[in-house]
Each structure stands twice: as C-alpha cells, then as structure tokens.
Amino acid sequence: MVDPTLAEMGKNLNEAMKMLEDNQRKAEEENEKKYARKDIPGPLQGRLQNVGEQGHMALLGHSLAAYISVLDRERLRKLTTRILSDTTLWLCRLFRYENGSAYYHEDDREGLLKICRLVIHTRYEDYTLEGFNVLYTKQPVIYISSAARTGLGQALCNQLGLPLSCMCRVPCNTMFGSQHQMDVALLDRLIKDDVEFGKLPLLLVANAGTPGAGHTDKLGRLKELCEQYKMWLHVEGVNLATLALGYVSSSVLAATKCDSMTLTLGSWLGLPAVPAVTLYRHEDPSLSLAAGLTSSQPVEKLRALPLWLSLQYLGHDGIVERIKHASQLSQRLLENLKNLDFIKTSVEDELSSPVVVFKFFQEYSNRDQTSHAAQASTIQRPIISNEGHIYDTFNQWLGEQLAQLVPASGVDVVELEDEGTCVRFSPLTTSAVLGTEMQDIDQLVDCLKMKIPVLTSTLQLREEFEQEVRRTVGLLYIEDLGWPGLGVVRYNYHSDGKNDDKQEKELEKINTELLKKLNELESDLTFSLGPEFGGQKNCVYIGMVTEDLDVSELVETIAATGREIEENSRLLENMTEVVRKGIQEAQLQLQKANEERLLEEGLLRQIPVVGSVLNWFSPFQASPKGRTFNLTAGSLESTESMYVSKAQGTGSTPPPTPTSNLAKQRLPGQKAFKRSLRSSDGFSETSSISHCDDLDKLDQRPPNLSPGQEQGPLEMEGEEEQKEVAQAKTDTEDIHSDKSSPDCTKVEDQASQR
C-alpha cells in the first residue's frame, strides 16, 4: 500500500484481527467454565455461526468505516475514492463487465430501483422540471418475466410512484424451449401493442438464473429487441456468478452486453454484511447523480469498504475457487440423480447449470396394477385427476426430510408454475455459508435413496387403504390431498338420536382414545392428529409406510379398537344410568319403610316424652331392615342375609368387558401390521428355514424310529414296545372287522390303554 493512510489502516486492521481472535478464544473458554445455557438471556442463547477469517474482514469493515468517517474531509475524500475505484475495477474485471460503474446497496432490489430512475431521467428530458406530468402524457412500461421473484414489480411501482398498469408481466415459453425462459416472440408483440397505444417501453428485467429453477433467458435475442425499441436491459440472477469462471456458457456470457446487472456477492462467497453491487454503463454522470446511483457524500462511498477488504483477503483465485466449488457440487448431485428411478430433474444446461431442481415422480402406468385390476374406471379417474396434488404433497415432505437429515446441503422446497412442488439445490447461494462439501452431496443422495422406496410404497398402498376403509363398517375415509402419508381415517360414532353437540364430543373422545391406543402398539407407523393448521378434526392421520405393510390388518385393527372404545364408553354410560335409577328406587323404598315403621310402632311412640316412657315400660323389638345396591345386577337387595351370615354376598359374576382380538400371530421381534412374506402362503422366511431344518432331522432318523423318539442303547425295550403296539393294532383291526360285537367298545378301550 503506497498511501500512508491505507498503510496505517492495514496495520490497525491486523492488530484488530489479532485482538478479535484472542478475545473470542478467551470468551469461549470462560463461557464453557463459568456460564451455563440457562444463565444466558433467551434472545442471546445459541452460538454465532463460524464465519471464518474472511467473514471477520467483512465485519471489521463496518467498524473501520465508522473510524474512517471521523477523519478530516480531504483525507476522507481521497481514501473513499481509492476504495470505491479499486472495488469497482476489481468487480468489472472479475465478472467481464468492461467500462462499468458500480452502485453499492444493502437491499438487492435497490439497485434496480435506481436504474429505473436513471432510465426515466434519460428517456424523459423534462422529468426533472415537470415530474409526473411527463409520465402522464406518455405512460412508461417496465417488462418483467413471469418467472421473476415474487413482488418485484409491485415493489418497483410503489417506490417509483407508478400505477401497476405500468408493469407488464411477460409469460414464459409454453411450447418450445425451457418452461422458465421469457417468450421473446410474445414480448415483441406486447411491445408493439404498447407503442401503438402511445406508451413508452422503458426497461426490461431479464434473468440469468430464475429464482425458482435457475434458468437463463435468451439474453442475446433480448438485447437485440431492446436495442430495436431503445429499451434498457437489466439482468439479475445467481448464474451471473459463473462469469468469474474460465468456462462460461454462451447464454450467461451474453449478460456482459447488458446495460446493467445486479451481483449478490455476500451469498455467493459466504461474506456476511457485505453490500450487493449493481454494475451499469452510462455516460452522463449528472443523471446518475440525479437517480441516486452516485453520491457526493464521502461517507456513503464507504459502503464498499467491507467488500474491498474481503476481496483483497480472498484474492482472485479464492473467489474463483468458491464459485467453481459450488458448480462442482451441482454437477456431482446431477450425475447421481440421473441413476435414480422415480426422480425427474428440471435442469437447463446439464453441463454447467449451477442450480439443480428435482422431484419425485412415478408414472401411473408403471405402478403395480394387480391391486387395481378389479377396480372400475370410475374409481381410477378421480385418483388420476388428484395425482398432481398428491405429488406436490409428497415432494414437499421429501424436501423437508432431506433438509432435516442433511442440513449442510442447503436444499429447499420451491413451487414452480408447471412442475409444481420441487426440491431445489442451489449451492451458489448456500454452500459458502453452510460449508457444503462433496461428502454432504453423497449423504444427500443416500438419504434420497432411502426415501424413494417409502414414497413409492405409500403411493401404491394409499389407494388400497382408501378402498379398505370404504369397505369397513364404522370407518370413514377423509380425503386430504395435503397430507403426506397413507391417508386419514375417522371412526364413526353411532349417535342413537343424540344432538349434534353431544355427538361431536363423543366423536372427539373416541377418536382421541383411538389415536392413543394405536400409538401404544409396537409398529413402525406414525399416527397423529394431522397438521397444526388446516387439518381435519377428530381424525387419525397415518404417515409414510413401507411395502411390507398389511393394509387389511391395519384397517381391521383401527375398526376393532374403535368399536372396543365405543362399547366401553356405552357400558360406562349404561352403568351410570343404572346407578341413578337405583338411587331413586332406594329413596322411594326408604320413604316407604319409614311409613311402615310409623304404622308398626304407633303414633304414641313418636311423641318425644310419651314415646320414651312407653318404650321403657314396653320395649319395641323391630327387625333390622336395610337395602344394598348391587352394581353387577343393577338392583336393590335386602340386607337380611348380611345380618344372618355376618358377611356380604358376592353376587353374580359381572359381565365380561368387550374386547377385540387385536394381537395377530406374529413372529418374535416382528412388529404390528407387517406382512411376514408377500409371495408366500403366510409363512415367514424364518419359519420356513426352521421347518426345513426339522424335515432334514426327520430324514436323518432311522426308519424304525417314530417322530420324537431318540435312538439309544435300550434297543430290546424298543423292540418289545413295537411288538406291543403291533399287537394292539392287530386287536384293533379285529375289532373293526366285527362291528356287531357287543364288547366292541370295551375292547377298543383296552386297545387304547395299551
């Protein structure tokens, strides 16, 4: 560094880096010794992500910017000019954008906003004096692809003070080429129509990597169209990062001829808190100043300082290596996806695409049709019509599972207009921050291989489960296309004339208890109440399943468990009613017993003084009478037997509690709802092997041994026993030959005893 100020700043920077690293190391050691997690306030819990030394450079840039801002005005002007010119020169050379200027901004949409103002000032000469009156006479039009990020056009209109009619969304190709590329022919017709209506085509926003699928518009043809109508061409997208590589595809290379482009270096290089950059070409600096792309304030030029430090630290080779690594990750994943069945990819350029979009998809004709051969065509048509919604649900689940199992991969779920729900891998926006490596891609592919059989099995058994539930009495199948699993079922409660509120409470109680009982079973299935928002009430949601699931057993178990819960509930309700009636009857009998006692004792004995004297001269002997309520029989009984036998009777045997035979014969270690062997007659592989071993043992026995008899040294005793058995057999045959003998039964008993 020749400038003494820069040399001094570099020295201070090295000291600050050393102090920061030492303080961070000491702080971590002290926190591990002194503080527990509960001692840290809630918002401060957790640990900062490891940003690395280049991240420290970017963070220190903000502190240095505040330090530099207090310098005297002349030194500040020289220093900021040097930082701004160096950063702009490096970026233009790095991304092949010759003779460009740079605008540094925090919001990535702010650069496009300032470009729109620049174009308005350029195309409307009197805009500075007359303002919106000029726009009213000739309405400007901004063209944006329908594949652009959501809300971009509305944000531009709001910031520019333009009506939404000034924004024109251009559809993408529907017949030829990529489904995410702007339709150039249709754009040409739209521009001609606007010109005929007296409007002014102002600016076109194209994509070098759409936000969803990462596809690049036909930038070469779009540039020619913009030159024809004197429009400004602005390009943005993640694929612009590949301009720094040695080999660049021709579609992305055409972006270097555009009028402006926006670069988001923070996500590409993993640099925190660095600004986005909009590179543009314009000859009039006064209009750039009026649009806000340049500023006369030196402090605003210090926005480039964090990026200036980071670019110097990484160097040209470091920047290229990071972008190249992200592209190699995409190629590694794409090569593995080509070898997987039931995975459909949506990639624009398989040789150099930095974004990979894929989804689970299974052709209906390729599925197992054996279980559907007997179904009518009227049943299959609704299934096919809902197939798109089911695939969206399954792919949503697949993307969430992959992101959870391999968080370092950075995969996410994206909604595309034509493909529906897909899983997206865009390492240029995630790998530098997450530190994605090749082994993470291999782990991602392994997880995907494990999930594909689960998805295919669930998709095939989902229809079988629906048919089984519809055939089962007492169960109701709930159609929920947004549930990623086998299906949704509800146990129907027999109301018996109850009102709706009471029936709803009973239904909720039974299905809640049913869910609890199913979760207590030893199985690999997941039973839940469904999603937190938007799910059906009083239902049991069944998650993903494997191919060895016994659907009939599962449905039978659900129905039997529901019936058992309902019968137990009815039994308790009936017992409550019996007790209530018994109490009323006991009250009536007690009242009747009191009246009989009054008649038996007489009126005089009821008078307090007279009754005492009368009872003293002539005591009254009354037999004790009482009642006991038998819960088993549900009736009132006399207590005379209790006073006689000095013990309470047991009564009749209570009725058995209704239960269901839910425990199916299973092998040791086999979980519920599992088929032992899909292609056998009900025997598992383990039982078949043990059965064959028993047959081998039987074949190795001598012919004269019966099953279960071992060969030993007492051969004479064995021969005598064989003679006795033979004699008994002869006697039995003689008996059977003479069925008319009266002693036939007796002789048969003797033969059996032998």
Side-chain angles (χ1 to χ4, degrees):
M1 297 183 181
V2 181
D3 193 286
T5 305
L6 295 179
E8 182 181 359
M9 188 179 66
K11 180 180 178 181
N12 295 335
L13 178 62
N14 293 330
E15 294 178 357
M17 282 288 300
K18 185 178 180 181
M19 293 173 59
L20 181 62
E21 294 175 357
D22 295 339
N23 292 334
Q24 183 180 5
R25 190 180 306 109
K26 293 179 181 179
E28 291 178 355
E29 294 176 356
E30 292 178 358
N31 289 335
E32 292 177 357
K33 296 179 180 179
K34 296 182 179 180
Y35 300 103
R37 185 178 179 85
K38 62 181 181 179
D39 300 324
I40 304 175
L44 299 180
Q45 288 184 1
R47 190 173 182 177
L48 291 176
Q49 189 176 4
N50 185 16
V51 296
E53 294 183 0
Q54 71 278 2
H56 292 163
M57 285 288 186
L59 296 176
L60 284 172
H62 293 274
S63 300
L64 290 175
Y67 170 75
I68 296 174
S69 63
V70 300
L71 298 177
D72 60 272
R73 189 173 184 85
E74 184 63 24
R75 295 184 64 187
L76 178 61
R77 185 186 62 80
K78 292 182 179 179
L79 187 58
T80 54
T81 303
R82 172 70 179 275
I83 294 173
L84 188 63
S85 60
D86 286 351
T87 309
T88 303
L89 179 61
W90 295 339
L91 292 176
C92 290
R93 290 182 178 179
L94 186 63
F95 293 97
R96 306 170 187 252
Y97 198 81
E98 299 178 358
N99 301 324
S101 302
Y103 172 65
Y104 303 90
H105 47 93
E106 302 297 334
D107 189 356
D108 54 359
R109 297 176 299 182
E110 186 179 355
L112 177 58
L113 174 64
K114 297 298 178 63
I115 291 296
C116 291
R117 290 178 177 173
L118 174 63
V119 179
I120 291 176
H121 280 280
T122 304
R123 298 298 303 273
Y124 294 92
E125 296 180 358
D126 298 333
Y127 179 76
T128 306
L129 299 176
E130 300 184 10
F132 69 92
N133 291 326
V134 181
L135 303 180
Y136 180 77
T137 57
K138 200 169 187 179
Q139 181 178 344
V141 182
I142 300 175
Y143 301 91
I144 295 182
S145 171
S146 59
R149 45 182 167 169
T150 306
L152 179 61
Q154 185 176 2
L156 291 177
C157 290
N158 293 337
Q159 295 295 325
L160 295 173
L162 299 176
L164 291 179
S165 58
C166 294
M167 193 62 54
C168 178
R169 293 179 61 87
V170 182
C172 295
N173 289 344
T174 55
M175 297 181 61
F176 304 101
S178 170
Q179 299 296 322
H180 306 278
Q181 288 181 341
M182 193 182 304
D183 193 336
V184 181
L186 181 57
L187 173 63
D188 189 9
R189 291 197 298 268
L190 291 174
I191 296 175
K192 289 180 180 179
D193 294 340
D194 291 336
V195 172
E196 292 178 359
F197 280 99
K199 298 181 181 180
L200 178 64
L202 192 68
L203 181 140
L204 172 64
V205 182
N207 291 302
T210 56
H215 290 197
T216 302
D217 291 326
K218 301 178 178 64
L219 299 179
R221 296 182 58 188
L222 292 178
K223 179 59 179 175
E224 296 175 357
L225 195 62
C226 289
E227 291 178 352
Q228 178 181 351
Y229 293 98
K230 299 180 180 180
M231 294 172 55
W232 186 284
L233 177 60
H234 179 83
V235 181
E236 60 181 21
V238 67
N239 292 354
L240 292 175
T242 58
L243 290 173
L245 301 179
Y247 169 77
V248 186
S249 62
S250 58
S251 58
V252 179
L253 188 61
T256 59
K257 304 299 181 182
C258 65
D259 298 303
S260 61
M261 65 170 64
T262 297
L263 310 175
T264 55
L265 298 171
S267 59
W268 299 348
L269 304 178
L271 302 176
V274 297
V277 184
T278 296
L279 302 179
Y280 65 97
R281 296 190 185 97
H282 199 267
E283 298 178 356
D284 193 344
S286 62
L287 295 181
S288 300
L289 180 63
L293 289 171
T294 59
S295 176
S296 60
Q297 299 296 327
V299 178
E300 294 187 6
K301 299 180 181 179
L302 290 175
R303 291 180 181 177
L305 180 57
L307 189 57
W308 182 78
L309 293 173
S310 301
L311 293 178
Q312 284 195 103
Y313 181 84
L314 290 174
H316 180 271
D317 295 338
I319 296 172
V320 173
E321 183 62 29
R322 292 204 170 197
I323 299 176
K324 182 179 180 181
H325 176 69
S327 301
Q328 291 175 349
L329 292 175
S330 298
Q331 295 301 315
R332 180 70 167 267
L333 178 61
L334 184 60
E335 292 174 0
N336 286 276
L337 292 179
K338 291 180 180 179
N339 301 325
L340 295 181
D341 297 330
F342 310 114
I343 293 297
K344 179 182 177 181
T345 58
S346 177
V347 179
E348 179 187 19
D349 187 0
E350 295 185 355
L351 298 178
S352 60
S353 178
V355 180
V356 178
V357 177
F358 62 93
K359 63 179 296 185
F360 166 76
F361 185 78
Q362 181 181 7
E363 293 289 346
Y364 188 83
S365 59
N366 294 337
R367 300 184 196 168
D368 186 9
Q369 298 291 332
T370 57
S371 60
H372 311 295
Q375 302 294 333
S377 59
T378 57
I379 298 178
Q380 292 183 358
R381 278 197 294 268
I383 295 175
I384 297 176
S385 62
N386 296 329
E387 199 172 9
H389 298 285
I390 296 176
Y391 278 119
D392 289 344
T393 302
F394 278 35
N395 283 283
Q396 177 77 26
W397 177 85
L398 177 61
E400 293 174 355
Q401 289 291 313
L402 294 177
Q404 183 179 1
L405 295 174
V406 193
S409 63
V411 295
D412 60 347
V413 180
V414 62
E415 296 286 341
L416 301 180
E417 185 176 357
D418 297 316
E419 287 84 354
T421 304
C422 300
V423 183
R424 178 179 59 186
F425 176 66
S426 181
L428 277 174
T429 58
T430 60
S431 62
V433 178
L434 298 177
T436 311
E437 299 294 339
M438 289 297 179
Q439 56 267 24
D440 297 322
I441 303 301
D442 297 337
Q443 183 181 359
L444 180 66
V445 175
D446 294 338
C447 293
L448 184 59
K449 291 180 180 179
M450 291 189 299
K451 297 300 179 182
I452 290 177
V454 177
L455 291 169
T456 54
S457 303
T458 306
L459 187 62
Q460 293 176 359
L461 296 177
R462 187 181 176 109
E463 303 168 12
E464 181 182 350
F465 175 76
E466 178 181 354
Q467 301 303 324
E468 287 288 341
V469 172
R470 295 188 185 278
R471 287 196 295 262
T472 304
V473 179
L475 296 182
L476 178 64
Y477 181 81
I478 305 299
E479 184 73 24
D480 191 348
L481 301 178
W483 173 247
L486 185 64
V488 187
V489 64
R490 174 187 295 162
Y491 182 80
N492 274 338
Y493 175 72
H494 303 288
S495 61
D496 294 338
K498 297 182 179 180
N499 55 31
D500 295 339
D501 295 338
K502 189 172 182 180
Q503 181 181 356
E504 186 71 20
K505 292 181 180 179
E506 292 292 339
L507 182 65
E508 180 180 0
K509 181 180 178 181
I510 291 178
N511 283 276
T512 302
E513 186 66 20
L514 174 61
L515 177 63
K516 180 180 178 182
K517 293 287 185 182
L518 293 175
N519 283 323
E520 291 176 355
L521 299 176
E522 295 183 359
S523 66
D524 293 332
L525 302 182
T526 56
F527 303 95
S528 65
L529 293 175
E532 183 178 0
F533 302 102
Q536 296 285 339
K537 295 183 179 180
N538 305 327
C539 296
V540 176
Y541 285 76
I542 307 174
M544 292 289 178
V545 299
T546 55
E547 62 177 354
D548 57 352
L549 173 68
D550 194 337
V551 178
S552 59
E553 180 188 355
L554 172 62
V555 176
E556 180 183 358
T557 302
I558 295 175
T561 307
R563 286 194 298 268
E564 178 182 347
I565 297 173
E566 181 182 2
E567 291 172 0
N568 290 336
S569 177
R570 289 179 180 274
L571 179 61
L572 181 60
E573 183 179 355
N574 295 336
M575 183 176 295
T576 304
E577 183 66 20
V578 169
V579 171
R580 186 182 63 82
K581 292 182 178 179
I583 292 175
Q584 294 177 355
E585 184 179 356
Q587 291 176 349
L588 294 176
Q589 291 191 12
L590 288 175
Q591 183 179 0
K592 184 178 180 181
N594 290 332
E595 295 175 356
E596 293 177 354
R597 184 174 59 84
L598 291 175
L599 295 176
E600 186 178 358
E601 293 179 358
L603 181 60
L604 294 176
R605 294 182 184 274
Q606 309 304 321
I607 302 175
V609 179
V610 178
S612 300
V613 176
L614 185 60
N615 288 334
W616 183 71
F617 283 105
S618 176
F620 180 79
Q621 300 292 334
S623 60
K625 296 181 180 180
R627 296 291 185 270
T628 179
F629 183 72
N630 191 340
L631 289 175
T632 304
S635 61
L636 289 173
E637 299 177 357
S638 176
T639 59
E640 294 180 1
S641 59
M642 296 173 56
Y643 289 104
V644 173
S645 60
K646 306 295 183 181
Q648 186 175 0
T650 58
S652 59
T653 304
T657 303
T659 58
S660 60
N661 186 16
L662 301 180
K664 186 179 179 181
Q665 295 293 334
R666 293 191 296 269
L667 296 174
Q670 183 181 359
K671 295 186 178 181
F673 316 127
K674 294 289 185 180
R675 288 194 179 100
S676 55
L677 191 62
R678 297 177 67 94
S679 60
S680 64
D681 295 332
F683 293 97
S684 64
E685 297 177 359
T686 307
S687 61
S688 301
I689 294 174
S690 60
H691 183 64
C692 295
D693 294 339
D694 294 339
L695 293 177
D696 294 337
K697 292 180 180 178
L698 290 175
D699 294 337
Q700 294 175 2
R701 284 199 316 269
N704 58 346
L705 292 181
S706 61
Q709 182 181 355
E710 300 294 338
Q711 184 178 6
L714 302 178
E715 297 180 357
M716 296 300 297
E717 295 181 3
E719 293 178 358
E720 293 177 358
E721 291 177 0
Q722 293 180 9
K723 291 180 180 179
E724 292 180 3
V725 173
Q727 183 64 30
K729 183 177 180 182
T730 305
D731 296 340
T732 305
E733 292 176 354
D734 295 337
I735 292 170
H736 285 288
S737 63
D738 188 9
K739 294 293 184 179
S740 62
S741 175
D743 298 330
C744 178
T745 305
K746 182 177 180 180
V747 177
E748 286 180 354
D749 294 339
Q750 294 177 358
S752 62
Q753 291 177 2
R754 293 180 183 176

